[in-house]
Amino acid sequence: MLPFANDYSRGAHPKVLQALIDTNMDAQPGYGQDIYTKRAAQKIQAACEAPDAEVFFISGGTQTNQVVISNLLDGDEGVVAADSGHINFHEAGSIEYTGHKVLTLPGERGKITAKNLQSYLDDWQADENHGQMVAPGLVYISFSTELGTLYSKQELADLSQVCRQNQIPLFMDGARLGYGLMSPECDLSLADIAKYCDIFYIGGTKVGALAGEAVVFTKHNVPKRFTTKIKRQGAMLAKGRLIGVQFDALFTDNLYFKLSQHAIDLAMKLKRALKDKGYQFLIDSPTNQQFVVVTNDQLAELKKHVDLSFWEVVDDTHTAIRLVTSWSTTEQELDALIAIL
Amino acid sequence: MLPFANDYSRGAHPKVLQALIDTNMDAQPGYGQDIYTKRAAQKIQAACEAPDAEVFFISGGTQTNQVVISNLLDGDEGVVAADSGHINFHEAGSIEYTGHKVLTLPGERGKITAKNLQSYLDDWQADENHGQMVAPGLVYISFSTELGTLYSKQELADLSQVCRQNQIPLFMDGARLGYGLMSPECDLSLADIAKYCDIFYIGGTKVGALAGEAVVFTKHNVPKRFTTKIKRQGAMLAKGRLIGVQFDALFTDNLYFKLSQHAIDLAMKLKRALKDKGYQFLIDSPTNQQFVVVTNDQLAELKKHVDLSFWEVVDDTHTAIRLVTSWSTTEQELDALIAIL
Amino acid sequence: MLPFANDYSRGAHPKVLQALIDTNMDAQPGYGQDIYTKRAAQKIQAACEAPDAEVFFISGGTQTNQVVISNLLDGDEGVVAADSGHINFHEAGSIEYTGHKVLTLPGERGKITAKNLQSYLDDWQADENHGQMVAPGLVYISFSTELGTLYSKQELADLSQVCRQNQIPLFMDGARLGYGLMSPECDLSLADIAKYCDIFYIGGTKVGALAGEAVVFTKHNVPKRFTTKIKRQGAMLAKGRLIGVQFDALFTDNLYFKLSQHAIDLAMKLKRALKDKGYQFLIDSPTNQQFVVVTNDQLAELKKHVDLSFWEVVDDTHTAIRLVTSWSTTEQELDALIAIL
Amino acid sequence: MLPFANDYSRGAHPKVLQALIDTNMDAQPGYGQDIYTKRAAQKIQAACEAPDAEVFFISGGTQTNQVVISNLLDGDEGVVAADSGHINFHEAGSIEYTGHKVLTLPGERGKITAKNLQSYLDDWQADENHGQMVAPGLVYISFSTELGTLYSKQELADLSQVCRQNQIPLFMDGARLGYGLMSPECDLSLADIAKYCDIFYIGGTKVGALAGEAVVFTKHNVPKRFTTKIKRQGAMLAKGRLIGVQFDALFTDNLYFKLSQHAIDLAMKLKRALKDKGYQFLIDSPTNQQFVVVTNDQLAELKKHVDLSFWEVVDDTHTAIRLVTSWSTTEQELDALIAIL
């Protein structure tokens, strides 16, 4: 089967795996106090052009969202997100589990606009009953979004400005950050993201690592005793080195960006091929997730050869599917897919 | 420095690491639906002589305790544990985080006795105010315990009987299960544990894996939609294979037991050497953690060459320390340690 | 000022207050074990024509919703509600506080339709990713709704059927139950509600009591050790008699229904007067809340003499307001209001 | 039956009830914005000689402890309490429900000593693993304690000093504050308590009110948007006036202190009578709870005529019971009790 269902179907990039092999028998302190984790943090600070940034490593995306959001919100606050936001749908209620509401705004192609956000905050402020309502305490965006779309530099700057004017931190879920940054349509750098966001994370699980996300606090805004809080929520690995070593490798010689670029190159080739063959797209995505409309007959045929994701029913005879490339997709696999389409 | 501070200072056993290398580029479904995870579960069923057991894999010990305990307790129930229990001290309040109280019994060398448990349950039942008290809903024990001690088969059978008579499940924290089972003083088999406990876990993080614990439900007692609940608590890895592959290797050719045996052999050699040199022990431990009383001068000297754990102040001039062997300790390291002592 | 802002601006109905006076010095057991609470429960069973129903008393509406919903949901379940549902807006995130998501359906005039509910449940079932989504575990409706509207007997029967077919309990928030039942447009009896709902509550705070709601479980479906769970959530009064005595009075000689009827009679008179004067309604409400569109000039004038509730901005020059009658509204107050309008 | 089981068996003091009657039909805003609640707060500020204190009203003791403690603790913090503390035993795990651990110190006659507290805090600080432990974030004491005992002014001053030196707030549970203050052995005034404690509450439920506790923040330390947080935890009454009116009455003409004095006078008379008759006391209590050792035969006889509380088994033939006076105990009832003893 051709693996286009998601971007986490294989292990680690060979260089990442090699780093695990090379460091395996070196005895190191636990709980992220090892030298590899420290070195990874420094390399990420450098890549973000943010020498004061504070970096923490957590195993997966849902866990990262849960730990970060719950510790940044005050008791009666909720997190503002697009209705299509991952935390609102496919994380099994992990934010509510921590006692907080996800306050949804209608997403525009998966994104929150500065205008909609300001309008929401104004309405909340003006509502005479807001003392009996959940207060907006954090804004959550994803980059690339769940629909593969991107914020432009201007859009992110505008959002950031609204957040700061309202003293609400801006948090970016970067589970697919590399795939966003390497898109031909992206005009943002990692340094821009560190500048505009108060907290964000650099996804490893989907971008070359076995597991692991790097959370970056850019504004001296780490919650007090944050490692104890991570532990309390079950999110502290005894062998923190497992993630540190991998990010150390990912941020050596720009590996993170190179392997993201590989996935994007293949995704753009796929997108062109789909266009050439006359397929309709559910949404115009410039990143590694492509959302394509197929007839149900085409779908049945495709499923014989391709692992893909069902996305949604379009009409009685059409279905939208998701095809995903990753750091591990090969040119051969892509060509085989295109040949079938 | 000689690494005797804990049993999680190195990566994975070479055979475990090799399994990760060998399977790395095989595309597999996420969230524990891969073939390696399924194979690991089957091998564990076989090792437990419990073909109906249901097996789940979670990243670390604190997380496993948190996910299992919180999902087995009813709202107003708490978990009974020895006061020295890991969940009561060194897990940062992770059980209370889920809304439940840890109900402590005085530990006898780290253990709960059937008699103390029955007495506690009787008192609770007899208390006219128990409707305003947390109800005991689960019993938590660890094997080996936080003090390195072991339950005998008779002790475990007695505890199990009290639990069943009171319809309260018995849960064993097996973060160091292998080191317990391979102790010369252990008369329990893995199959015995599966028989007497309602739920237990087989620790991987401290016994040869980079991360991962295998939770075994032995009595058709898995909570409904348990994987969704794992996800909700942030404990589901996208690449569940990371743990599955490692346990598949650990339960091939008895590797789990062999590497546990190695650590125990070295620990017993260390124990004999300490006795021969006239050291006092804080507690008589038959497993891989040795608790030794040293003078503060000895401690200062030791710290120059050995990574060890402070345990507790004994008196003004003496301190108890913990020395730990593991699957990765070498004969040379042990000899070097003994030479220094 | 004329008090039309809400239905909780005064103390208790004189007969309810008299019951508190009459029983004041009678020494009784605490925590709802007093004879008045028991008598109130029996009278409610009789009024519901449900001799097996189990009745509990809780101080207020938000607390009742919180205690009931959180104890009826399994860990990974959420509660389905109309987007206009009180639990979704004006209860400060009290459901999420307990760890559960409010799953919203678009309300039709404040109501959930059986068709929309079935469609939602079908979609959830069909979604291949539902293992990573919050499962629907309870349906919440309010009667009368937050917009003053009512379910007909057919609508409630249909909803109930969908719930039962899907094995999901149906819970009715009856903070304004009396005002719903006494509406000229209501074809439901209290016995019908007990039949179609699995749990519901009879609101006292807004219908003649100082505080208190009576929760009715109609299907032998009380959570285990429910009073301990109530206590744990801080919702158990030491002097449970405070609520028991009041409901005992409310369900003596049909007082609950008579004083509800009084509020409805006045509301209908107000509605007719508003129609006669040519006012537009935001929604056609057959109960004690009337939602009227006024010009901003009219609003400014009204506010000089009337306590009313801002509801929403209609356009630049118009605002929707809410005018509410209650058991304590007098004919004189209403006439004075009408004279001003 | 003679009512000596507890101090909440009757309704409200007649003057408190009269205030409810007198204000019943006055239309007032909800949620504690009424004039009675404001007036009560002012009277409490005056009684505390703390004009800047901020006062909130909550229905009951467990709820007050829960709301206050959970909102004063940071995520990874727990509350320090004597092991006999009410929050540790008879509140059904309501603190753990909010995600926080109760960190227990051995009580000395129900009290925490400054020395024990300092020692605990020192040990925590010195523990190299405290990053994996719950941090002490609040100190909880009760006055009078669950065993009827009292802190002296010196003891409270010492505790307060330890708390401030360690930047940990001191919270006093004053469910029986009046009965403590009016004890002949008490050398503390309400103003002293406001000075030494950072937060405390003045119990109403057990001291003349139908329900209600007044929480006093004395150090400009009210959590942000505290009323929203109260609402979120289900602890906000729509008719907040119910509590405000009662405290307004209780703090008029020193009623609160007078009725506390009445209970204490009777308790001291009871204590003398018990001593005269040769009874042994489980503990020497200077307040309204008396803990007496009786033979099981005496107990069986007493139970025919007296409502009392079982306290604990002393030995095979003796039991400790609790006899409680309150604002509502009459001289006649006490004499009847003494006659029986």
Side-chain angles (χ1 to χ4, degrees):
Chain A
M1 297 288 279
L2 296 167
F4 288 90
N6 58 50
D7 31 21
Y8 46 82
S9 68
R10 282 175 174 132
H13 186 275
K15 289 188 179 174
V16 171
L17 190 59
Q18 190 60 47
L20 287 171
I21 297 166
D22 293 344
T23 60
N24 189 54
M25 294 307 286
D26 183 18
Q28 285 287 329
Y31 303 108
Q33 299 305 305
D34 62 280
I35 55 164
Y36 307 110
T37 298
K38 289 177 183 171
R39 211 158 67 189
Q42 288 163 0
K43 288 180 182 174
I44 287 171
Q45 289 168 333
C48 293
E49 299 173 24
D52 288 349
E54 289 154 289
V55 186
F56 295 81
F57 297 93
I58 294 180
S59 299
T62 297
Q63 191 173 66
T64 302
N65 287 331
Q66 186 176 49
V67 168
V68 168
I69 291 170
S70 63
N71 283 298
L72 285 168
L73 292 178
D74 192 7
D76 64 320
E77 292 177 341
V79 55
V80 179
D83 50 12
S84 54
H86 209 248
I87 55 170
N88 193 42
F89 266 112
H90 288 128
E91 300 191 352
S94 66
I95 301 305
E96 290 82 4
Y97 178 69
T98 70
H100 299 282
K101 194 177 186 75
V102 179
L103 301 161
T104 53
L105 297 185
E108 299 203 352
R109 301 175 64 246
K111 296 188 281 181
I112 295 175
T113 66
K115 192 182 156 197
N116 283 355
L117 177 61
Q118 185 61 61
S119 166
Y120 172 81
L121 297 174
D122 288 346
D123 288 352
W124 183 83
Q125 198 61 50
D127 193 317
E128 292 178 14
N129 293 315
H130 77 231
Q132 302 188 34
M133 292 161 66
V134 174
L138 183 71
V139 172
Y140 165 95
I141 57 174
S142 40
F143 184 89
S144 61
T145 71
E146 296 74 11
L147 300 174
T149 54
L150 296 175
Y151 288 85
S152 70
K153 189 186 286 195
Q154 190 59 52
E155 288 172 337
L156 186 62
D158 290 348
L159 258 186
S160 183
Q161 192 182 14
V162 170
C163 285
R164 282 172 202 180
Q165 282 168 349
N166 290 276
Q167 297 182 281
I168 295 177
L170 178 61
F171 169 50
M172 178 184 281
D173 173 336
R176 293 191 175 96
L177 190 68
Y179 301 136
L181 286 172
M182 292 300 105
S183 163
E185 296 188 13
C186 180
D187 63 353
L188 281 162
S189 68
L190 187 55
D192 291 330
I193 285 170
K195 178 180 157 196
Y196 291 123
C197 296
D198 300 286
I199 315 101
F200 68 99
Y201 74 88
I202 303 172
T205 302
K206 289 171 177 162
V207 192
L210 279 163
E213 322 292 308
V215 185
V216 186
F217 290 83
T218 62
K219 305 289 182 288
H220 304 288
N221 50 348
V222 179
K224 196 176 169 190
R225 289 186 303 259
F226 190 46
T227 53
T228 307
K229 286 166 175 149
I230 293 174
K231 173 85 177 170
R232 172 191 187 227
Q233 291 181 260
M236 176 66 75
L237 289 182
K239 296 185 182 171
R241 64 191 290 155
L242 167 60
I243 308 180
V245 166
Q246 294 184 89
F247 269 92
D248 187 12
L250 286 169
F251 279 82
T252 298
D253 295 336
N254 289 318
L255 179 61
Y256 187 76
F257 302 100
K258 287 176 189 166
L259 51 83
S260 296
Q261 185 70 59
H262 169 79
I264 290 299
D265 289 346
L266 295 188
M268 294 304 101
K269 182 172 172 183
L270 171 61
K271 188 176 177 182
R272 281 190 303 273
L274 288 162
K275 272 192 184 161
D276 289 349
K277 290 172 187 255
Y279 282 94
Q280 297 295 312
F281 292 84
L282 186 72
I283 195 163
D284 181 22
S285 158
T287 60
N288 74 316
Q289 301 182 87
Q290 295 296 318
F291 302 86
V292 194
V293 179
V294 295
T295 65
N296 292 348
D297 290 345
Q298 285 172 319
L299 178 57
E301 187 61 28
L302 274 173
K303 277 186 163 178
K304 293 179 189 166
H305 308 288
V306 184
D307 270 330
L308 51 79
S309 290
F310 163 88
W311 197 253
E312 63 180 51
V313 170
V314 174
D315 60 32
D316 282 358
T317 54
H318 292 81
T319 297
I321 62 169
R322 185 183 70 159
L323 295 168
V324 188
T325 64
S326 82
W327 61 272
S328 74
T329 311
T330 65
E331 196 85 34
Q332 290 80 348
E333 287 166 343
L334 185 70
D335 291 342
L337 171 63
I338 291 173
I340 293 168
L341 286 166
Chain B
M1 297 290 278
L2 295 167
F4 289 89
N6 58 50
D7 33 19
Y8 46 82
S9 67
R10 282 175 174 132
H13 186 276
K15 288 188 180 173
V16 172
L17 191 58
Q18 191 60 46
L20 287 171
I21 296 166
D22 292 344
T23 61
N24 189 55
M25 295 307 286
D26 183 17
Q28 286 287 330
Y31 304 108
Q33 298 307 305
D34 62 279
I35 55 163
Y36 307 110
T37 297
K38 289 176 183 170
R39 212 159 67 189
Q42 288 163 0
K43 289 179 181 174
I44 287 171
Q45 290 167 333
C48 294
E49 299 173 24
D52 288 349
E54 290 153 287
V55 186
F56 295 81
F57 297 92
I58 295 181
S59 300
T62 297
Q63 190 172 66
T64 302
N65 287 331
Q66 186 175 50
V67 168
V68 168
I69 292 170
S70 62
N71 284 299
L72 285 169
L73 293 178
D74 191 6
D76 64 320
E77 293 177 340
V79 55
V80 179
D83 50 11
S84 54
H86 208 249
I87 55 169
N88 193 40
F89 266 110
H90 287 129
E91 300 191 351
S94 65
I95 301 305
E96 291 83 2
Y97 178 69
T98 69
H100 298 282
K101 194 177 188 72
V102 179
L103 301 162
T104 54
L105 296 185
E108 300 204 352
R109 302 176 64 246
K111 297 187 280 182
I112 296 175
T113 65
K115 192 182 156 198
N116 283 354
L117 177 61
Q118 185 61 62
S119 167
Y120 173 81
L121 297 175
D122 287 346
D123 288 353
W124 182 84
Q125 199 61 49
D127 193 317
E128 291 179 14
N129 294 314
H130 77 232
Q132 302 188 32
M133 293 162 65
V134 174
L138 184 71
V139 172
Y140 165 96
I141 57 175
S142 39
F143 185 89
S144 60
T145 71
E146 297 74 11
L147 300 175
T149 54
L150 296 174
Y151 289 86
S152 69
K153 189 185 287 196
Q154 189 61 52
E155 288 171 337
L156 186 61
D158 290 347
L159 258 186
S160 183
Q161 192 183 15
V162 170
C163 285
R164 283 172 201 180
Q165 281 167 350
N166 290 275
Q167 296 183 283
I168 295 177
L170 178 61
F171 168 50
M172 178 185 281
D173 173 336
R176 292 189 175 97
L177 190 68
Y179 301 137
L181 288 172
M182 293 300 106
S183 164
E185 296 188 14
C186 180
D187 64 351
L188 280 162
S189 67
L190 187 55
D192 290 330
I193 285 171
K195 178 181 157 197
Y196 292 122
C197 296
D198 299 287
I199 317 100
F200 67 99
Y201 74 87
I202 303 171
T205 302
K206 290 171 177 161
V207 193
L210 279 162
E213 322 292 308
V215 186
V216 187
F217 290 83
T218 62
K219 305 289 182 290
H220 303 290
N221 51 347
V222 179
K224 196 176 168 191
R225 287 186 305 257
F226 190 45
T227 53
T228 307
K229 286 167 175 149
I230 293 174
K231 173 87 178 169
R232 174 192 185 227
Q233 291 180 260
M236 176 66 76
L237 290 182
K239 296 184 182 172
R241 62 191 289 156
L242 167 60
I243 308 180
V245 166
Q246 293 184 89
F247 270 92
D248 186 11
L250 285 169
F251 280 82
T252 298
D253 296 335
N254 289 316
L255 179 61
Y256 187 77
F257 302 99
K258 288 177 189 167
L259 51 83
S260 297
Q261 186 69 58
H262 169 78
I264 290 298
D265 289 346
L266 295 189
M268 293 305 100
K269 183 174 172 182
L270 171 60
K271 189 176 177 181
R272 282 190 305 272
L274 287 162
K275 272 192 184 161
D276 290 347
K277 288 172 188 255
Y279 282 94
Q280 297 295 314
F281 292 85
L282 186 73
I283 194 163
D284 180 24
S285 158
T287 59
N288 73 316
Q289 301 182 87
Q290 295 296 318
F291 301 86
V292 193
V293 178
V294 295
T295 66
N296 292 348
D297 290 345
Q298 286 173 319
L299 178 56
E301 187 60 27
L302 274 173
K303 277 187 162 176
K304 292 179 190 163
H305 309 287
V306 185
D307 271 331
L308 51 79
S309 290
F310 163 88
W311 196 254
E312 65 181 48
V313 171
V314 173
D315 60 33
D316 282 357
T317 54
H318 292 80
T319 298
I321 61 169
R322 187 184 66 159
L323 296 168
V324 188
T325 64
S326 82
W327 62 273
S328 74
T329 312
T330 65
E331 195 85 32
Q332 289 81 347
E333 287 167 343
L334 184 70
D335 291 342
L337 172 63
I338 291 174
I340 293 168
L341 285 167
Chain C
M1 297 289 279
L2 296 167
F4 289 89
N6 58 51
D7 32 20
Y8 47 82
S9 68
R10 282 177 174 130
H13 186 276
K15 289 189 179 173
V16 172
L17 190 59
Q18 190 60 48
L20 287 171
I21 297 166
D22 293 344
T23 61
N24 189 53
M25 295 307 286
D26 183 17
Q28 284 289 329
Y31 303 107
Q33 298 306 306
D34 62 280
I35 55 163
Y36 307 110
T37 298
K38 289 176 183 169
R39 212 159 65 190
Q42 288 162 358
K43 289 180 180 173
I44 287 171
Q45 289 168 334
C48 294
E49 299 172 24
D52 288 350
E54 289 153 289
V55 186
F56 295 82
F57 297 92
I58 295 181
S59 300
T62 297
Q63 191 172 66
T64 303
N65 287 331
Q66 186 175 49
V67 167
V68 169
I69 291 171
S70 62
N71 284 299
L72 285 169
L73 292 178
D74 191 6
D76 63 320
E77 292 178 340
V79 55
V80 179
D83 50 12
S84 53
H86 209 249
I87 55 169
N88 192 41
F89 266 111
H90 287 129
E91 300 191 353
S94 66
I95 301 305
E96 290 83 2
Y97 178 69
T98 70
H100 298 282
K101 194 178 187 73
V102 179
L103 302 162
T104 53
L105 296 185
E108 299 203 355
R109 302 176 64 246
K111 297 187 280 181
I112 296 175
T113 66
K115 190 181 156 198
N116 283 353
L117 176 61
Q118 185 62 62
S119 167
Y120 172 81
L121 297 174
D122 288 346
D123 288 353
W124 182 83
Q125 199 62 49
D127 193 317
E128 292 179 13
N129 294 314
H130 78 232
Q132 302 188 32
M133 292 162 66
V134 173
L138 183 71
V139 172
Y140 165 96
I141 58 174
S142 39
F143 184 88
S144 60
T145 71
E146 297 74 12
L147 300 175
T149 54
L150 296 174
Y151 288 85
S152 70
K153 188 185 286 196
Q154 189 62 51
E155 287 171 338
L156 186 61
D158 291 347
L159 258 187
S160 183
Q161 190 181 16
V162 170
C163 285
R164 283 171 201 181
Q165 281 167 350
N166 290 275
Q167 295 182 284
I168 294 178
L170 178 61
F171 169 50
M172 178 185 281
D173 173 337
R176 293 190 174 96
L177 191 68
Y179 301 136
L181 288 172
M182 293 300 106
S183 164
E185 297 189 12
C186 180
D187 63 352
L188 280 162
S189 67
L190 187 54
D192 291 330
I193 285 171
K195 176 181 159 197
Y196 291 123
C197 296
D198 299 286
I199 316 101
F200 68 99
Y201 75 87
I202 303 171
T205 302
K206 290 171 176 161
V207 193
L210 279 163
E213 321 293 309
V215 186
V216 187
F217 290 83
T218 61
K219 305 288 181 290
H220 305 289
N221 50 347
V222 178
K224 196 176 167 189
R225 289 186 303 258
F226 190 46
T227 54
T228 308
K229 286 167 175 150
I230 293 173
K231 173 85 178 169
R232 172 192 186 226
Q233 290 180 260
M236 176 67 75
L237 289 182
K239 296 185 183 171
R241 63 192 287 155
L242 168 60
I243 308 179
V245 166
Q246 294 183 88
F247 270 92
D248 186 11
L250 285 169
F251 280 82
T252 298
D253 295 335
N254 289 317
L255 179 61
Y256 188 76
F257 302 99
K258 288 176 188 164
L259 51 83
S260 296
Q261 186 69 58
H262 169 79
I264 290 298
D265 288 347
L266 295 189
M268 294 305 101
K269 182 173 173 184
L270 170 61
K271 188 176 177 181
R272 282 190 303 273
L274 286 162
K275 271 192 184 161
D276 290 347
K277 289 172 187 255
Y279 282 93
Q280 297 295 313
F281 293 84
L282 186 73
I283 194 163
D284 180 23
S285 158
T287 60
N288 73 316
Q289 303 182 87
Q290 294 296 319
F291 302 87
V292 194
V293 179
V294 295
T295 66
N296 292 347
D297 289 345
Q298 286 173 319
L299 178 57
E301 187 59 28
L302 274 173
K303 277 187 164 178
K304 293 180 190 166
H305 309 288
V306 185
D307 270 331
L308 50 79
S309 290
F310 164 88
W311 196 253
E312 64 180 50
V313 170
V314 173
D315 60 33
D316 283 357
T317 55
H318 292 80
T319 298
I321 61 169
R322 186 184 70 160
L323 296 168
V324 188
T325 64
S326 82
W327 61 273
S328 73
T329 311
T330 65
E331 196 85 33
Q332 291 80 347
E333 286 166 344
L334 185 71
D335 290 343
L337 172 63
I338 292 173
I340 293 169
L341 286 167
Chain D
M1 296 290 279
L2 295 168
F4 289 88
N6 59 50
D7 32 20
Y8 46 82
S9 68
R10 282 175 174 132
H13 185 275
K15 289 190 179 172
V16 171
L17 190 58
Q18 191 59 46
L20 286 171
I21 297 166
D22 293 343
T23 61
N24 189 54
M25 294 308 284
D26 183 18
Q28 286 287 329
Y31 303 108
Q33 298 305 305
D34 62 281
I35 56 163
Y36 307 110
T37 298
K38 289 175 183 172
R39 212 159 67 189
Q42 288 162 359
K43 289 181 181 174
I44 287 171
Q45 289 167 333
C48 294
E49 299 172 27
D52 289 349
E54 290 153 288
V55 185
F56 295 81
F57 298 93
I58 295 180
S59 300
T62 296
Q63 190 173 67
T64 302
N65 287 331
Q66 186 175 49
V67 167
V68 168
I69 292 171
S70 62
N71 284 299
L72 285 168
L73 293 177
D74 191 6
D76 63 321
E77 292 178 341
V79 56
V80 179
D83 49 10
S84 53
H86 209 248
I87 55 170
N88 193 41
F89 266 111
H90 287 128
E91 300 191 353
S94 66
I95 301 304
E96 291 81 3
Y97 178 69
T98 70
H100 298 283
K101 193 177 187 74
V102 180
L103 301 161
T104 53
L105 296 184
E108 299 203 354
R109 301 176 63 246
K111 296 188 281 182
I112 295 176
T113 67
K115 191 180 155 199
N116 282 355
L117 177 61
Q118 185 62 62
S119 166
Y120 173 81
L121 297 174
D122 288 346
D123 287 353
W124 183 83
Q125 198 61 50
D127 193 317
E128 291 179 14
N129 293 314
H130 77 231
Q132 302 188 34
M133 292 161 66
V134 174
L138 184 71
V139 172
Y140 165 95
I141 57 175
S142 39
F143 184 89
S144 61
T145 71
E146 295 74 9
L147 300 174
T149 54
L150 296 174
Y151 288 85
S152 71
K153 189 186 286 196
Q154 190 59 53
E155 288 171 336
L156 186 61
D158 290 348
L159 257 187
S160 183
Q161 192 182 13
V162 170
C163 286
R164 282 169 204 183
Q165 282 167 349
N166 290 276
Q167 295 183 282
I168 295 177
L170 179 61
F171 169 50
M172 179 185 280
D173 173 336
R176 293 190 174 96
L177 191 68
Y179 300 136
L181 287 172
M182 292 301 105
S183 165
E185 297 188 14
C186 179
D187 63 352
L188 280 162
S189 67
L190 187 55
D192 290 330
I193 284 171
K195 178 180 157 198
Y196 292 123
C197 296
D198 300 285
I199 316 101
F200 67 99
Y201 74 87
I202 303 171
T205 303
K206 290 170 178 161
V207 194
L210 278 163
E213 322 292 308
V215 186
V216 186
F217 290 84
T218 63
K219 306 289 182 288
H220 305 289
N221 51 348
V222 178
K224 195 176 169 189
R225 287 187 304 259
F226 190 47
T227 53
T228 307
K229 286 167 175 147
I230 293 173
K231 172 84 177 170
R232 173 192 186 226
Q233 291 180 258
M236 175 68 75
L237 289 183
K239 296 186 182 170
R241 64 192 288 154
L242 167 60
I243 308 179
V245 166
Q246 293 183 89
F247 270 92
D248 187 12
L250 285 169
F251 279 83
T252 298
D253 296 334
N254 288 318
L255 178 62
Y256 188 76
F257 303 100
K258 288 176 190 165
L259 50 84
S260 297
Q261 187 68 61
H262 169 79
I264 291 298
D265 289 347
L266 295 188
M268 294 305 101
K269 182 173 172 183
L270 171 62
K271 189 176 176 180
R272 281 191 303 273
L274 288 162
K275 272 192 185 160
D276 290 348
K277 290 173 186 255
Y279 282 94
Q280 297 295 312
F281 292 84
L282 186 72
I283 195 163
D284 180 22
S285 159
T287 59
N288 73 315
Q289 301 182 87
Q290 295 296 318
F291 301 86
V292 193
V293 178
V294 295
T295 65
N296 292 348
D297 289 346
Q298 286 174 318
L299 179 57
E301 186 61 27
L302 274 173
K303 277 187 163 178
K304 293 179 191 165
H305 309 287
V306 185
D307 270 330
L308 50 81
S309 289
F310 164 88
W311 196 254
E312 64 180 49
V313 171
V314 174
D315 59 33
D316 282 359
T317 55
H318 292 80
T319 298
I321 61 169
R322 187 184 68 159
L323 295 168
V324 189
T325 65
S326 81
W327 62 272
S328 75
T329 312
T330 65
E331 197 84 33
Q332 291 80 345
E333 287 167 343
L334 186 70
D335 291 342
L337 172 63
I338 291 173
I340 293 168
L341 286 166

